[in-house]
Amino acid sequence: MARTKEFDPDAALERALELFWERGYEATSTADLVEHLGVARASLYATFGGKHDLYVKALDRYTESRDRRVVEALSQPGPALPAVRALVEAYAEESVRDERRRGCMVVNAAVEVMSRDREAARRVEASWDTLETALTSALTRARAQGEIPAGRDPRALARLLLVVLQGMRVLGRAHPEPGRLRDAAEQALAALD
């Protein structure tokens, strides 16, 4: 007869996500995970595989949740530019108010492990592609609705915003100086006019 799991894998994954997000991949040991999750090492391996497998699953959980919210926010019917503006302003404010200085787990993965971890790199690129596509779509609608000038390139503007948004996350984690982040958001939004 098969033994039942002594823990909730979904809750354990969420706790692992929080730990990886807080500390990063390298600074989180398997012993840290066992202690933080309150799970036996054997159960951790049996359920999630090794530390890297758990990290990738946590990164998936993070991107699925956040990417979906961004896509939904930018896909609402009606004027598109207010949603783009709200997203940029939200990134700036979240970066300023990130008291724990965790930044964005996608950006953290890009900086910490992307150059040597193909699985993490694929997930980071996919998340950036999702954000770029959602922004491009919203800005294409905005141009069609006369919210931005007809001569503007929605994809190029989306790429500008993607770089600014991800940069805000880096600065928010390293040194969240409010004026710097808010000024960057304001200038990025001015580029849409």
Side-chain angles (χ1 to χ4, degrees), residues 158-177:
R159 288 179 166 181
L160 168 69
L161 293 178
L162 171 68
V163 171
V164 169
L165 296 175
Q166 300 309 287
M168 282 187 208
R169 294 300 200 204
V170 171
L171 288 169
R173 181 168 180 154
H175 183 67
E177 199 280 306

Side-chain angles (χ1 to χ4, degrees), residues 1-153:
M1 187 153 133
R3 286 184 63 197
T4 59
K5 293 209 184 304
E6 299 172 8
F7 67 97
D8 177 357
D10 192 58
L13 179 58
E14 192 63 35
R15 289 181 57 81
L17 184 158
E18 291 294 326
L19 191 62
F20 282 128
W21 188 7
E22 186 83 31
R23 294 185 184 177
Y25 178 75
E26 295 295 335
T28 303
S29 68
T30 301
D32 294 333
L33 289 163
V34 166
E35 181 181 334
H36 189 75
L37 276 56
V39 174
R41 185 180 296 260
S43 295
L44 185 73
Y45 282 112
T47 303
F48 298 110
K51 172 184 159 182
H52 183 262
D53 297 319
L54 182 54
Y55 177 74
V56 169
K57 287 177 176 124
L59 189 55
D60 284 342
R61 163 80 56 101
Y62 181 91
T63 58
E64 288 164 6
S65 169
R66 283 166 179 77
D67 291 353
R68 182 178 55 249
R69 286 198 306 252
V70 168
V71 169
E72 287 172 1
L74 293 175
S75 302
Q76 297 299 312
L81 198 54
V84 172
R85 288 184 181 284
L87 179 72
V88 173
E89 290 165 355
Y91 264 70
E93 287 309 310
E94 288 168 10
S95 297
V96 166
R97 298 186 194 296
D98 184 5
E99 293 177 10
R100 293 166 61 186
R101 291 176 118 175
R102 294 186 303 176
C104 167
M105 192 167 172
V106 172
V107 173
N108 298 347
V111 171
E112 183 183 19
V113 299
M114 188 173 176
S115 65
R116 65 184 182 284
D117 184 333
R118 279 189 277 170
E119 287 185 69
R122 278 196 310 270
R123 283 153 175 87
V124 168
E125 287 289 347
S127 182
W128 288 343
D129 288 346
T130 297
L131 180 54
E132 181 182 320
T133 299
L135 283 164
T136 300
S137 177
L139 292 166
T140 299
R141 284 191 353 262
R143 186 176 67 183
Q145 295 169 169
E147 298 171 73
I148 61 175
R152 297 306 214 139
D153 179 350

